[in-house]
Amino acid sequence: VPLQAYGGGLVQAGGSLRLSCAASGRIYSSKVVAWFRQGPGKEREFVAAIRWGSGMRYYEESVRGRFTISKDGPKNTVYLQMSSLKPDDTAVYYCAAGNEYGTTPNPYKDWGQGTQVTVSS
């Protein structure tokens, strides 16, 4: 399913942003939708994921308690609410969908184009 991520921007440390990932078609209950990020000179890393059917959520340890992943079923949209942002959170954020949960990019076959998040100190 084609995905489009948006909502990135420039924010000061300690601030908040909400990213959105909109699917152009229906997201089936078996799907897992995840957020990954890739900082300058770094590999793409897992941030958070949500099972579309059950709503079960998963988080990378460094964002737990600061980021919240959620979904809007009728809108086929997944959100990533980011709070208490740090300069280390600076990255291009990607949303992805797949049939299995995982913390590596491999299980996810559909990817959005990415949205830049820059946190200034």
Side-chain angles (χ1 to χ4, degrees):
V1 55
L3 302 170
Q4 183 175 7
Y6 57 95
L10 173 64
V11 64
Q12 288 188 334
S16 300
L17 275 177
R18 188 178 80 160
L19 305 183
S20 301
C21 174
S24 62
R26 176 185 173 186
I27 300 177
Y28 289 91
S29 61
S30 60
K31 291 289 188 180
V32 178
V33 181
W35 287 96
F36 284 76
R37 66 186 179 186
Q38 189 164 14
K42 298 180 180 179
E43 293 187 353
R44 194 166 297 190
E45 65 175 2
F46 172 78
V47 176
I50 187 167
R51 291 189 182 272
W52 196 256
S54 68
M56 184 173 293
R57 306 173 188 184
Y58 308 87
Y59 295 96
E60 194 274 327
E61 197 58 38
S62 70
V63 308
R64 188 184 300 276
R66 299 189 298 123
F67 292 9
T68 300
I69 189 169
S70 62
K71 66 181 179 77
D72 184 327
K75 293 184 178 180
N76 291 297
T77 299
V78 172
Y79 303 100
L80 185 69
Q81 178 68 48
M82 305 185 295
S83 303
S84 302
L85 282 161
K86 306 174 182 180
D88 283 349
D89 295 318
T90 295
V92 177
Y93 283 70
Y94 299 89
C95 62
N99 293 323
E100 297 179 1
Y101 165 69
T103 58
T104 68
N106 288 342
Y108 303 95
K109 306 306 180 187
D110 299 315
W111 289 82
Q113 81 284 8
T115 184
Q116 176 71 47
V117 172
T118 303
V119 184
S120 63
S121 58

